[in-house]
Amino acid sequence: MYVELDRESDLPLYLQISNQIRQRISAGDLPAGTKLPPERRMAAMLGVNRTTIVSAYRELAADGLVEGHVGRGTVVADPDSDATGAHGTFQIPWNQLFTSTTEVMNDPLLRDTTMISSRSDVISLATGIPSPELYPIELIRSLLDEALHSGGQTLLQHCPTEGYGPLRAALGRWMAVEERPIDPASVLIVAGSQQGLYLLARTLLDPGDLVVIESPTYLGALQVFRAAGARLLPIPIDASGMRVGLLEDLIARRRPKLIYTLPSFQNPSGGTMSFDRRRRLLELAERFRIPIIEDDPYSVLRYEGVPLPTLHALDQRGTVIYLSTLSKILFPGFRIGWIAGPQPVIKRLALMKQIVDLDTNPLAQWAVWALLDRGHLLEHVDELRSIYPYRRDLMLDALNRHCQGLLDWNRPLGGFYIWAHLRDGLRTRDLLPEAARFGVSVAPGESFHPDGEGESTLRLNFTLPAPEDIDEAVRRLAAAISSLRGSRGADDRQLQETATPIV
Amino acid sequence: MYVELDRESDLPLYLQISNQIRQRISAGDLPAGTKLPPERRMAAMLGVNRTTIVSAYRELAADGLVEGHVGRGTVVADPDSDATGAHGTFQIPWNQLFTSTTEVMNDPLLRDTTMISSRSDVISLATGIPSPELYPIELIRSLLDEALHSGGQTLLQHCPTEGYGPLRAALGRWMAVEERPIDPASVLIVAGSQQGLYLLARTLLDPGDLVVIESPTYLGALQVFRAAGARLLPIPIDASGMRVGLLEDLIARRRPKLIYTLPSFQNPSGGTMSFDRRRRLLELAERFRIPIIEDDPYSVLRYEGVPLPTLHALDQRGTVIYLSTLSKILFPGFRIGWIAGPQPVIKRLALMKQIVDLDTNPLAQWAVWALLDRGHLLEHVDELRSIYPYRRDLMLDALNRHCQGLLDWNRPLGGFYIWAHLRDGLRTRDLLPEAARFGVSVAPGESFHPDGEGESTLRLNFTLPAPEDIDEAVRRLAAAISSLRGSRGADDRQLQETATPIV
């Protein structure tokens, strides 16, 4: 539950908390019957004393906004049930009007994680963001200056929905380093790869359609596919990526509409699909004529070993729709990603993009084009490839030092993430408030699984935290796990409390 | 039909045309049975001789790609009907996979208009773009420089899905010049108002839901509502805007889910809803608890007369969801718009935006915030308010000079557009190729109607063309209308040809 605390403020913390919850209740964000987080858990998440939360909840109870029930905890009270309540006679009952599309989005575990990660006393290992101190800011400054000087009237204007022509060509050449030349007309510029995924889902998936995904997989993809009403067919992964051997039977039996995969340095697991499985996956997809969406933000960030061809590079028959982004190798703020695929698909996606947002910021597109065309992006990626493995190793060293016997983890050959498992059946959702208390956050692996599995897994990011913070973050994580193990037998009530979803 | 000609190229024009059509056929963009535009019409649109088109079509016929049928014109030929045709054995039959969402988007009339307007020898009156020579480019240059200097790491990063906090507050204050203060939490930043409309449709409309719209109305809204599967209930407009008197009966009978209106300097008609009708519309919406989406890109661009309050300013009960954009008062390239409305709606829209594209470019958001916060935007709008009425009057003078007896038109008090009717039942779709031949383009009014009406209407934009081109553009338009009138009786075949939709 999002609460933002201002520790410099004159307003006592308990009033800051009660005020914000009050606002959410009156805004309809917390409908009647919603269970507030247990006091102890809320206190741990916010990094305050339990008495502060008790006082905050009492304030709300005094106003009749919440009620305490033995065994049920604190719940939002039922206001007048007719429409003549606190909101005025004629207020529109918005909850009756909303479509079901966005209901799937409310993952309380992720909201908690986001809230904890934003605390200034918390070191976040939960994100998927490149190191901000490596952003080529001066270069961007001079490029934007140049762009506006020479082409302001054009670059502040609309541009074609499909994207800025020279950028489409440059991205085709960027990909062609590894594979055959790519026609600019086969490239669509999108506002980040999240938009790319969304357009693909809206263009290819009707409600009820089946999509093969890896389990775990990118959670933004889970959200997009769920919002499209698709049913998910998870295939487990192992050290060689998606277990393609399980796929043939599944395809023959269920005839899925799409296969979605992140073959290289996968988010969240850091794993990579072997060459042999890539070949077999493509063969199967071709045989059954099932399109593959290859989501590939990380493959150029390989730190060791031999590069593997992308599925798109192996594809001779137009079966693979390739998706990537500048957000991981440059920075996310420009919101630039791209799709490369068969031209009928690109055209259809462009029609959809025209409805969704008309076009993508042409100034940002020009700057990315210039970075590509003048070789800056390649230089920048080379720099990342020299710095990130050092950070990965810092984290691996810290894990060896602090987490032996508490966690198991892998050693990724590229990308942003180490993937870990809590031992002895501990659950990451129980660890999160404890970790918050010790001042560290991680991404809960459960949120990357389509089926409530992966309860003991977690994702650790080594690109965002400052190198000097990595050891301390892992030390805090170890302390939190130890603390959770210690409290486990002693406090059954906690396990019971956390078994109900938090708001 | 889009064909791009390079008149500097060594490749003959007929080959450029046949090559591009060939590519489209092999890309699946023009499926078997598609009718190519009649030769005469295609020649007029591209500004080439009819013999060039005849040669291009003959090339295609020689390759077996098109066939000529007496009475049916030139159609794309049926390739091998099994999947072992020219595309290779295993090609995925994409057209079988696409959802119906994007099918509604293919308005051939608009594609023709876009194509004609992009010709360098054509003066376009067809767009809705502010004057590029008035963009405050130097100011933007220095703001972006400042932003990256002081906050590059943050502004090239992700930002909250709801938008950059200070910008949400500043837009609340911007609106509050005219009305009560607006809570920043009631404001959502979107990637242009097209995205705002899209998010609203996805959040509030299930397939089959009914939406009241003005007829004519903004064509991007028609596309969004159709893509959502909504059914449209058009209400005609007159000189005082939407005919609200017709609404009560319709609401009682059909119970629509939403009302969509552009009350001020409407796109396309330039008209404005009277104060009295605003009050009555709001009253009706409150009584029946039907949300109003107020689309308001133009109201600050009033050139004369007394400002009217927006529906949002009149609304006391949270019935109105307000939508606006910087694209018309600044420039479109930053892709920044906003929605102001009840907080439950804003929260739901933010969940949807998280699926659609995560967040909006924070650097562009910061620059818009700075423009607002430092008073630059107000100064800029003042400048537009002093310059645009002069351009409107140039166009009205030119219409008086050249189009008497050919056209009827209105005199808008603000905004971007003059709305006109062809006399004597002439159709704008017949005028377009003729206008292209004379070197001018206009927006076909039919595309702004939900029901195939408005065949004789057209929209004339006075902000994009250079002031020195306006008289010439209107002179060409008059010549095209005269030519169409002259050819009408003499050539029945043309009317018959154009009665079938063009590709």
Side-chain angles (χ1 to χ4, degrees):
Chain A
M1 185 152 128
Y2 288 107
V3 173
E4 210 165 292
L5 295 182
D6 178 1
R7 284 161 208 274
E8 315 283 294
S9 165
D10 291 336
L11 197 66
L13 290 175
Y14 82 95
L15 283 181
Q16 293 186 37
I17 296 167
S18 62
N19 286 350
Q20 290 182 50
I21 296 178
R22 179 181 294 113
Q23 277 174 18
R24 287 197 175 101
I25 292 172
S26 79
D29 195 30
L30 301 173
T34 302
K35 194 163 176 293
L36 296 186
E39 289 150 2
R40 175 202 306 261
R41 184 180 184 85
M42 187 75 171
M45 289 194 304
L46 295 178
V48 300
N49 290 326
R50 185 160 173 271
T51 53
T52 305
I53 305 297
V54 171
S55 305
Y57 285 8
R58 277 202 191 126
E59 277 291 310
L60 295 166
D63 293 353
L65 290 169
V66 305
E67 291 164 353
H69 294 278
V70 178
R72 279 189 62 205
T74 308
V75 297
V76 177
D78 207 0
D80 298 341
S81 56
D82 63 5
T84 59
H87 302 312
T89 317
F90 288 94
Q91 236 231 356
I92 290 177
W94 290 108
N95 283 322
Q96 296 176 14
L97 271 65
F98 294 137
T99 60
S100 57
T101 319
T102 48
E103 268 162 24
V104 296
M105 290 287 304
N106 248 327
D107 182 341
L109 207 53
L110 285 177
R111 296 182 67 168
D112 282 359
T113 306
T114 308
M115 193 269 291
I116 294 166
S117 302
S118 68
R119 271 170 49 187
S120 61
D121 59 332
V122 165
I123 305 172
S124 174
L125 309 178
T127 73
I129 297 172
S131 308
E133 73 277 15
L134 303 179
Y135 296 171
I137 295 174
E138 284 310 307
L139 189 54
I140 298 296
R141 264 179 89 184
S142 77
L143 285 176
L144 293 183
D145 194 66
E146 178 190 337
L148 288 171
H149 186 65
S150 61
Q153 289 194 14
T154 308
L155 295 173
L156 298 176
Q157 184 52 279
H158 281 295
C159 83
T161 302
E162 292 83 356
Y164 176 61
L167 178 60
R168 299 170 79 190
L171 286 168
R173 288 192 298 274
W174 173 257
M175 292 174 66
V177 175
E178 305 286 330
E179 50 174 309
R180 66 191 177 286
I182 289 164
D183 184 347
S186 301
V187 176
L188 177 77
I189 308 299
V190 290
S193 67
Q194 182 72 30
Q195 183 180 65
L197 269 174
Y198 182 78
L199 297 176
L200 284 164
R202 284 295 284 164
T203 304
L204 291 167
L205 294 176
D206 283 307
D209 279 345
L210 296 165
V211 180
V212 172
I213 55 163
E214 292 154 349
S215 177
T217 191
Y218 171 53
L219 62 89
L222 291 177
Q223 291 168 340
V224 159
F225 294 146
R226 282 182 180 138
R231 287 176 296 158
L232 302 173
L233 299 176
I235 299 277
I237 56 172
D238 63 19
S240 305
M242 184 198 281
R243 291 181 55 195
V244 175
L246 301 174
L247 193 58
E248 182 163 0
D249 230 35
L250 186 75
I251 290 178
R253 205 184 296 276
R254 309 290 300 272
R255 275 302 197 149
K257 184 99 176 261
L258 271 185
I259 299 168
Y260 172 74
T261 176
L262 278 129
S264 298
F265 316 126
Q266 200 230 25
N267 180 4
S269 73
T272 290
M273 192 186 292
S274 66
F275 182 69
D276 181 53
R277 286 203 186 160
R278 288 174 193 232
R279 291 280 296 270
R280 282 164 60 204
L281 175 60
L282 192 59
E283 206 179 280
L284 272 175
E286 283 175 356
R287 173 141 44 100
F288 291 96
R289 296 193 204 166
I290 300 171
I292 296 174
I293 297 177
E294 178 179 32
D295 193 355
D296 187 42
Y298 304 102
S299 72
V300 296
L301 294 174
R302 174 178 281 276
Y303 311 136
E304 54 194 84
V306 184
L308 293 172
T310 62
L311 292 165
H312 188 263
L314 294 172
D315 175 26
Q316 298 294 323
R317 289 175 173 143
T319 304
V320 176
I321 305 170
Y322 179 91
L323 173 65
S324 192
T325 177
L326 276 299
S327 296
K328 306 295 180 180
I329 56 175
L330 194 59
F331 44 73
F334 269 179
R335 316 303 306 120
I336 305 281
W338 77 98
I339 294 173
Q343 289 181 26
V345 178
I346 297 297
K347 282 163 203 288
R348 214 26 116 94
L349 292 168
L351 285 179
M352 191 70 216
K353 182 167 167 67
Q354 201 180 322
I355 311 181
V356 167
D357 68 354
L358 291 182
D359 52 5
T360 301
N361 185 322
L363 185 61
Q365 292 192 64
W366 186 91
V368 172
W369 165 77
L371 286 171
L372 279 159
D373 193 60
R374 300 174 190 180
H376 297 308
L377 189 65
L378 199 56
E379 283 168 25
H380 184 66
V381 168
D382 277 341
E383 190 191 354
L384 300 180
R385 280 194 284 232
S386 73
I387 292 173
Y388 284 163
Y390 167 74
R391 300 202 180 180
R392 174 198 61 181
D393 293 345
L394 277 181
M395 186 170 279
L396 290 170
D397 289 349
L399 286 165
N400 273 317
R401 226 176 350 260
H402 304 297
C403 292
Q404 298 276 8
L406 302 174
L407 270 181
D408 298 301
W409 60 88
N410 67 354
R411 180 178 182 283
L413 304 181
F416 275 30
Y417 312 109
I418 291 171
W419 184 240
H421 292 249
L422 288 166
R423 289 204 175 170
D424 304 322
L426 289 189
R427 304 190 316 171
T428 307
R429 60 166 62 225
D430 300 329
L431 174 64
L432 286 178
E434 204 61 21
R437 210 159 63 83
F438 282 89
V440 65
S441 70
V442 301
E446 190 180 335
S447 298
F448 297 83
H449 287 75
D451 39 21
E453 299 206 349
E455 286 197 318
S456 297
T457 59
L458 49 122
R459 191 192 72 177
L460 304 171
N461 165 261
F462 53 80
T463 59
L464 184 69
E468 59 275 20
D469 288 341
I470 287 181
D471 187 78
E472 173 61 16
V474 174
R475 198 194 58 72
R476 293 180 186 179
L477 179 64
I481 301 171
S482 299
S483 166
L484 180 66
R485 290 165 74 101
S487 70
R488 200 189 185 191
D491 191 347
D492 276 346
R493 205 164 46 86
Q494 180 174 355
L495 273 176
Q496 203 183 342
E497 273 179 354
T498 51
T500 51
I502 48 175
V503 178
Chain B
M1 184 152 131
Y2 288 105
V3 173
E4 210 165 290
L5 295 182
D6 177 2
R7 284 162 207 273
E8 314 284 293
S9 164
D10 290 338
L11 197 67
L13 291 175
Y14 82 95
L15 282 181
Q16 294 186 38
I17 296 167
S18 62
N19 286 350
Q20 291 182 51
I21 296 178
R22 180 182 291 112
Q23 277 173 19
R24 290 202 169 99
I25 292 173
S26 79
D29 195 31
L30 300 174
T34 303
K35 192 164 178 295
L36 296 185
E39 289 149 2
R40 173 201 308 260
R41 187 181 182 85
M42 188 76 171
M45 290 193 305
L46 296 177
V48 300
N49 290 327
R50 185 161 174 269
T51 52
T52 306
I53 306 296
V54 171
S55 304
Y57 285 7
R58 275 200 194 127
E59 278 292 308
L60 296 166
D63 293 352
L65 290 169
V66 305
E67 291 164 352
H69 294 277
V70 177
R72 279 188 61 204
T74 307
V75 298
V76 176
D78 207 1
D80 297 342
S81 56
D82 63 5
T84 58
H87 303 312
T89 316
F90 289 93
Q91 236 229 359
I92 290 177
W94 291 107
N95 283 322
Q96 296 176 14
L97 271 65
F98 295 138
T99 60
S100 57
T101 319
T102 48
E103 267 162 24
V104 296
M105 288 286 302
N106 249 326
D107 182 339
L109 208 51
L110 286 176
R111 295 182 68 168
D112 282 0
T113 306
T114 307
M115 193 268 292
I116 293 167
S117 302
S118 68
R119 273 170 47 186
S120 61
D121 59 332
V122 166
I123 304 173
S124 174
L125 308 179
T127 75
I129 296 171
S131 307
E133 73 277 15
L134 303 178
Y135 296 172
I137 295 174
E138 285 309 308
L139 190 54
I140 298 296
R141 263 179 91 184
S142 77
L143 286 175
L144 292 183
D145 195 67
E146 179 190 337
L148 289 171
H149 186 66
S150 60
Q153 290 192 16
T154 308
L155 295 173
L156 298 176
Q157 183 54 276
H158 282 295
C159 83
T161 302
E162 293 81 357
Y164 176 61
L167 178 60
R168 299 170 79 190
L171 286 169
R173 289 193 297 276
W174 173 258
M175 291 174 68
V177 176
E178 305 286 328
E179 50 174 312
R180 66 192 177 287
I182 289 165
D183 184 348
S186 302
V187 177
L188 177 77
I189 309 298
V190 289
S193 66
Q194 182 72 30
Q195 183 181 64
L197 268 176
Y198 181 79
L199 296 175
L200 284 164
R202 285 294 283 163
T203 304
L204 291 167
L205 295 177
D206 284 306
D209 279 346
L210 296 166
V211 180
V212 172
I213 56 163
E214 292 154 350
S215 178
T217 191
Y218 170 53
L219 63 90
L222 290 177
Q223 291 169 339
V224 160
F225 294 145
R226 282 181 180 139
R231 286 176 296 158
L232 303 174
L233 298 176
I235 300 276
I237 57 174
D238 63 18
S240 305
M242 185 197 283
R243 291 182 55 194
V244 175
L246 300 175
L247 194 58
E248 181 163 1
D249 229 35
L250 186 74
I251 290 178
R253 205 184 297 273
R254 309 291 300 274
R255 274 303 196 151
K257 184 101 177 257
L258 272 185
I259 298 167
Y260 172 74
T261 175
L262 279 129
S264 299
F265 316 125
Q266 201 229 24
N267 179 4
S269 72
T272 290
M273 192 187 293
S274 66
F275 182 69
D276 182 51
R277 288 204 185 159
R278 288 173 195 234
R279 291 280 296 270
R280 282 164 61 204
L281 174 60
L282 192 58
E283 207 178 278
L284 273 175
E286 283 175 355
R287 172 141 46 99
F288 290 96
R289 295 194 206 166
I290 300 171
I292 295 174
I293 297 177
E294 179 178 31
D295 193 354
D296 186 42
Y298 303 102
S299 71
V300 296
L301 295 174
R302 175 177 280 277
Y303 311 135
E304 54 193 84
V306 185
L308 292 172
T310 62
L311 292 165
H312 187 263
L314 293 172
D315 175 26
Q316 299 293 323
R317 290 174 173 143
T319 304
V320 176
I321 304 170
Y322 179 91
L323 173 65
S324 192
T325 178
L326 276 298
S327 296
K328 306 295 180 181
I329 56 176
L330 193 59
F331 45 74
F334 269 179
R335 314 304 306 123
I336 306 281
W338 76 97
I339 294 174
Q343 288 182 28
V345 179
I346 297 297
K347 282 164 204 287
R348 216 25 116 92
L349 293 169
L351 284 180
M352 191 69 217
K353 180 166 167 68
Q354 200 179 324
I355 311 182
V356 167
D357 68 355
L358 291 181
D359 52 5
T360 301
N361 185 323
L363 185 61
Q365 291 192 62
W366 185 91
V368 172
W369 165 78
L371 286 171
L372 279 160
D373 194 60
R374 301 174 190 179
H376 297 309
L377 190 65
L378 198 56
E379 283 167 26
H380 184 65
V381 167
D382 278 341
E383 190 191 354
L384 300 181
R385 280 193 284 232
S386 74
I387 292 172
Y388 284 163
Y390 166 74
R391 299 200 181 182
R392 174 198 61 181
D393 293 344
L394 278 182
M395 188 171 278
L396 290 170
D397 289 349
L399 286 164
N400 274 318
R401 222 173 356 257
H402 304 299
C403 293
Q404 298 275 10
L406 302 174
L407 270 181
D408 297 301
W409 60 89
N410 66 355
R411 180 179 181 281
L413 304 181
F416 275 29
Y417 311 108
I418 291 170
W419 183 241
H421 292 249
L422 288 165
R423 290 206 175 169
D424 304 322
L426 289 189
R427 305 191 314 171
T428 308
R429 59 167 62 225
D430 299 329
L431 174 64
L432 286 179
E434 203 60 22
R437 210 161 63 84
F438 281 90
V440 64
S441 70
V442 301
E446 189 181 335
S447 298
F448 297 83
H449 287 76
D451 39 21
E453 300 207 349
E455 287 196 318
S456 296
T457 59
L458 49 123
R459 191 192 73 177
L460 304 171
N461 165 261
F462 53 81
T463 58
L464 184 70
E468 60 273 21
D469 289 342
I470 287 181
D471 187 78
E472 173 61 16
V474 174
R475 198 194 58 72
R476 293 180 187 180
L477 179 64
I481 300 171
S482 299
S483 165
L484 181 66
R485 289 166 74 100
S487 70
R488 201 191 185 188
D491 190 348
D492 275 343
R493 204 164 46 86
Q494 179 174 356
L495 272 176
Q496 202 183 345
E497 274 178 355
T498 52
T500 51
I502 47 175
V503 179

